[in-house]
Amino acid sequence: MSSELQYPQPHTSSYYAASTNLHVDCESLKGAKSTDVCIVGAGFTGISAALHLAERGYGVTVVEANKVGWGASGRNGGQMIGGISGEPRLAAALGESGSKLLWDLRWAGHQIIRERVETYAIDCDLKAGYVDVAIKPRHLRDLEREYRYLEEHKFSFEHTMFSKEKTQELLGTKAYIGALLNMGNGHLHPLNLCLGEAAAAMSLGAKIYERSPAIRIERGNKATVVTHGGSVTADSVILAGNAYHFLEPRLRGNLLPVNSFIVASEPLSAELIEEINPRDLAVCDPNYILTYFRLSGDGRLLFGGRFTYFGSDSEVIKKTLVPRLLKIYPQLSKINFEFGWGGTIGVTVNRVPQMGKLADNIFYSQGYSGHGVNVTHLAGQILSEAVAGTMERFDIFAKINPVTIPGQHLFRNQLVSLGMLYYKFIDSL
Ligand SMILES: Cc1cc2nc3c(=O)[nH]c(=O)nc-3n(C[C@H](O)[C@H](O)[C@H](O)COP(=O)(O)OP(=O)(O)OC[C@H]3O[C@@H](n4cnc5c(N)ncnc54)[C@H](O)[C@@H]3O)c2cc1C
């Protein structure tokens, strides 16, 4: 995303945007407003924080450049995967005594999502079941290590290692040599979740302004977020623009924006579904340039992966991803792919999500490095605690210094292409 991009923009032409079940249409900001907390960005981070704060009784105003869920939150693979990116770095920062805390943080986002879906009756096709697949023996060893970790912590959800033959039965493909099933993870329609959470926050009094890019922040005892049409003066500000953030150069320089793409098929027949994914699991491979897929609520195959491309042409996306998919599922060669779209992920150098402050009353959270569905929900909760003065969990992240990527703003595409080449090489080993 560059600052030259024209705002506002409609939702990208994804399967999700074509299947929303809630109409959220908010006016743009006009005139001077005041509130307790102003949030910039209405993705999962911003909306999750807004809902936590509204539940605590804070006055909340969200300004969104485009539409609620317009960014990565409304475009992603919908895989609800436990764990936080960069866990080894986090574990080192926490020390041995922090192992229980890290375990709790791993699953906290899932808990928040499940509770919200239940409390606010959010219809977002939330399903339990996820499988990590192995392509090479070293992947199997990693999955076995993860299985032992789950066992040590007496993980209460079903978790099972699958042999090569059982994996083939489970997923109807010979592409994998084993798998770890985890019924504590799952999948969902991310845009419907984000819209449902936004509606819940509004029902508790939060104000959301769409088509209202923040163009400046005036700092002081109270901070003022300025848009073209108005301003919001607040005791605290939360910046939640993540990879789409374009205001503060410091935040942009700490993130490498990486593009990921998804195609969605037409709805599959019951027979095909029975053949390729009878347990309706989300699937992810362990490569850095990874492949992930799952079925949608209406039985489409949503298949995602990364490649070096900086555009948004759905035909280019289909032409690149469908052949990859057919290597795994040749039986889908006659199936029509109706959607192809992409989005940008904020990746940090050490993979650890970045939380911090730009001033005493300006907080930010970004850089979940592809693990955002779960961790954004945790981040929203931690940000709401920090605004209320409880810094314990915020400081775990804030104390890990972000690594700045020199020249990121100048050479972004070249850096991303180089990174893709490097990771392709690592994956090939
Ligand atoms: C294709 C794809 C697939 C993915 N798959 C998965 C997955 O399966 N599982 C998983 O866990 N994670 C996945 N992710 C990552 C996950 O989607 C993100 O980590 C998460 O959605 C980030 O949420 P966010 O709210 O921080 O940012 P975003 O959702 O990107 O929201 C940021 C918002 O801020 C707004 N904004 C920015 N600047 C301003 C400004 N100045 N003024 C007003 N508004 C502003 C933007 O318009 C945008 O709406 C995927 C990401 C992509 C792109």
Side-chain angles (χ1 to χ4, degrees), residues 33-281:
K33 316 274 178 197
S34 62
T35 186
D36 296 332
V37 186
C38 178
I39 298 174
V40 179
F44 282 146
T45 302
I47 293 296
S48 176
L51 183 47
H52 281 294
L53 285 161
E55 284 171 337
R56 283 167 170 250
Y58 282 84
V60 183
T61 298
V62 182
V63 294
E64 162 56 47
N66 302 292
K67 299 285 298 167
V68 170
W70 172 89
S73 302
R75 307 170 184 224
N76 63 59
Q79 308 221 353
M80 191 176 83
I81 312 166
I84 299 172
S85 180
E87 268 185 32
R89 179 72 186 80
L90 270 173
L94 286 169
E96 265 181 33
S97 59
S99 108
K100 165 81 173 68
L101 177 59
L102 188 57
W103 172 260
D104 290 343
L105 290 175
R106 260 190 152 212
W107 307 107
H110 286 24
Q111 192 53 29
I112 294 166
I113 293 170
R114 289 195 191 103
E115 277 169 16
R116 285 181 171 175
V117 166
E118 168 99 24
T119 307
Y120 300 106
I122 299 175
D123 178 5
C124 63
D125 302 327
L126 175 61
K127 309 244 174 74
Y130 167 86
V131 66
D132 275 307
V133 290
I135 303 168
K136 299 180 176 179
R138 71 179 161 87
H139 301 149
L140 265 186
R141 290 194 288 277
D142 289 343
L143 295 187
E144 278 156 5
R145 198 172 309 121
E146 170 72 7
Y147 175 80
R148 286 196 296 275
Y149 183 55
L150 297 175
E151 283 284 278
E152 270 164 34
H153 284 84
K154 304 192 183 350
F155 190 54
S156 58
F157 292 90
E158 179 191 348
H159 52 285
T160 316
M161 281 297 299
F162 278 76
S163 66
K164 183 174 177 177
E165 294 68 33
K166 287 277 178 205
T167 305
Q168 288 176 10
E169 254 173 54
L170 193 68
L171 296 175
T173 169
K174 295 188 170 145
Y176 308 115
I177 61 168
L180 171 59
L181 173 75
N182 182 330
M183 294 303 287
N185 288 329
H187 55 105
L188 49 79
H189 186 306
L191 185 53
N192 278 338
L193 174 61
C194 198
L195 294 173
E197 291 179 297
M202 287 191 281
S203 76
L204 298 178
K207 290 290 297 176
I208 300 179
Y209 295 99
E210 295 182 315
R211 301 178 301 277
S212 304
I215 51 169
R216 198 171 70 244
I217 299 175
E218 292 165 0
R219 300 184 186 199
N221 283 343
K222 285 185 183 259
T224 301
V225 173
V226 181
T227 69
H228 291 293
S231 65
V232 183
T233 299
D235 296 326
S236 306
V237 168
I238 293 175
L239 299 179
N242 207 340
Y244 291 95
H245 181 85
F246 55 85
L247 268 187
E248 297 283 337
R250 189 175 130 199
L251 296 190
R252 293 190 62 184
N254 291 345
L255 277 191
L256 196 58
V258 171
N259 293 336
S260 190
F261 302 91
I262 302 179
V263 289
S265 73
E266 62 187 318
L268 303 180
S269 66
E271 294 74 32
L272 258 181
I273 289 177
E274 186 58 26
E275 187 181 334
I276 67 167
N277 198 345
R279 289 190 64 178
D280 201 354
L281 305 167

